[in-house]
Structures are given as structure tokens and as C-alpha cells.
Amino acid sequence: MSVPASKEKQMKVQAQSERRPWWREPMVWLVIGGPAVVVVAGITTAVIAIRGADPVLDTRQPTAVQSRNHAATPGGAPVAPTKP
């Protein structure tokens, strides 16, 4: 009794897929590669952020500058307009 051609072809494909090691499957690299790229990008971003951190700036103005700015305003502090 002979096996049909389609059944024979299916058996060959199944036998070939059983012999292939996991690293030869392209879908495995898509599944592993996506998260691996994200992990590498995250580590790279963290290294860049830590090494290239900007220094903290002192935002307080010296008292001489504050005095000069206060003296430059006419009449002291501005007054809100009153309604008639």
C-alpha cells in the first residue's frame, strides 16, 4: 500500500523540522531579539544619564543683585490698579 504524495511531503517537512536545532528557527530570534534590544537600549540610556548628568545650579541670587533690582523699581513694589 502506497502513501499519498501530500502525506509523504508532510512527513518530510515534519522530519526536517524535528532535526533543526532551536537556534536555527527564525521565529526564535524574533521572540528573543525584541526584548534583548529593549534591555540593551535601557542600559545604554541609564549609562548616558548617569555619566552626563547636568550639575545642579544655584538659583538663589546674591543680595547685591536683589538690592539693585529693588532699587530699580519706581516707588517700591507695584500696586494693583483699583476699580472706580
Side-chain angles (χ1 to χ4, degrees):
M1 183 173 213
S2 174
V3 179
S6 61
K7 184 75 169 175
E8 188 177 324
K9 183 177 180 183
Q10 184 181 6
M11 289 172 58
K12 282 184 180 180
V13 169
Q14 186 178 8
Q16 286 176 350
S17 66
E18 288 176 2
R19 288 187 285 170
R20 291 177 77 177
W22 66 269
W23 61 86
R24 298 280 186 181
E25 293 291 332
M27 187 60 72
V28 171
W29 292 110
L30 289 175
V31 171
I32 294 173
V37 168
V38 172
V39 168
V40 170
I43 292 171
T44 303
T45 302
V47 168
I48 291 171
I50 291 170
R51 286 188 180 177
D54 293 333
V56 178
L57 300 177
D58 186 19
T59 58
R60 294 177 288 155
Q61 292 180 344
T63 56
V65 173
Q66 288 176 344
S67 300
R68 184 197 67 204
N69 289 342
H70 179 68
T73 57
V79 178
T82 58
K83 293 183 180 178

